[in-house]
Amino acid sequence: MAITRRKISIIGSGFTGATTALMTAQKELGDVVLVDIPDMEDPTKGKALDMLESTPVEGSDVNVTGTANYEDTAGSDVVIITAGIARKPGMSRDDLVNTNAKIMKSVTQQIVKYSPDCYIIVLTNPADAMTYAVYKESGFPKNRVIGQSGVLDTSRFRTFIAKELNLSVEDVQGFVLGGHGDDMVPLIRYSNVGGVPLTKLMSQDRIDAIVERTRKGGGEIVQLLGNGSAYYAPAASLTQMTEAILKDKKRVLPTIALLEGEYGYEDIYVGVPTVLGGDGIEKIIELDLTDDEKESFAKSVNSVRSVMQALPQD
Ligand SMILES: NC(=O)c1ccc[n+]([C@@H]2O[C@H](COP(=O)([O-])OP(=O)(O)OC[C@H]3O[C@@H](n4cnc5c(N)ncnc54)[C@H](O)[C@@H]3O)[C@@H](O)[C@H]2O)c1
Ligand SMILES: O=C(O)C[C@H](O)C(=O)O
């Protein structure tokens, strides 16, 4: 049988969806189908055509199409959900839960109908609760429903550390545990630059300031943009996760995963270190946490649980 290109569908053609479409196409990860509501069909087609016309310059042999018809997503390998509303200055991500939960329900039904074997990556906020909603609605196994928060939050953390120390972003390692909210937990003990512990390179005061800036990183961009939220770094994060799955890279990345006893929690999607590869979330990595880290993680988990209570129960 002939080998065909991979297919990536992106639901929502707004800032994050369109930017992710461009990045995945430029990396030649597969053909891209960009989907939005019928009222947005022409602009969605226009964005897709504009991207397609960049592929000769990029040397990328992929197709990019725009549509409002889910039939066009049929047989997708990866479906990325960015559909929904974004917050504005003064709002928290949790304020989006009611509107976006309804959108998750309807888009998930369409995704499952046309791509029953796909891997779903959820970006829409509040991301932990929305990933749980998509998991429930899809009926998919937990490894095939993955949320995005930790790659972005860690990328912000790494950026701030690299800039502060004037060292390469490539050498900064670290990750952020917990929900995608202001009480996420950047783990200092597991952070290093080229293997050198962060605490050897930076004072505790500076580390604390960077942790705080990371926690509020989304809000910082919301304030600056004035009418919408971040999209370049979120799209880069989605692209890295998509690549990890489609190329079976078995990357160790923080993702929003379903906990079933790991870290002492049940039936909740929240950010933890995972192995992301050809079978989606292939493993959750359980770290030994100190009492302080456990307490911070518990606070973050509680915040996610309280948002989940707003999800429709049907
Ligand atoms: N988890 C994260 O790290 C993270 C990062 C960035 C953004 N986000 C979230 O992602 C979401 C999208 O952000 P954005 O900046 O792209 O917003 P945006 O407003 O630019 O785009 C959203 C798009 O979704 C479309 N849409 C709405 N309902 C739809 C439906 N039923 N079917 C298909 N499309 C639909 C809209 O028409 C719009 O084009 C927001 O909820 C935002 O908070 C999360
Ligand atoms: O902050 C937001 O509302 C968008 C996103 O979750 C982010 O962290 O940039």
Side-chain angles (χ1 to χ4, degrees), residues 42 46 49-50 65 68 74 85 87 123 127 132-134 139 142 166-167 181 184 217 232 245 265 269:
D42 279 352
L49 180 59
D50 189 14
T65 49
I85 55 167
R87 64 173 162 155
L123 184 81
Y132 185 83
V134 170
K142 61 181 178 176
N166 195 24
L167 294 173
M184 65 180 80
Y232 295 117
I245 296 169
Y265 297 100
Y269 261 93

Side-chain angles (χ1 to χ4, degrees), residues 87 93 125 152-153 156 180 217-219 222 229-230 234:
R87 64 173 162 155
R93 297 178 181 93
N125 271 320
L152 171 65
D153 296 330
R156 287 183 174 140
H180 187 50
V222 168
S229 53

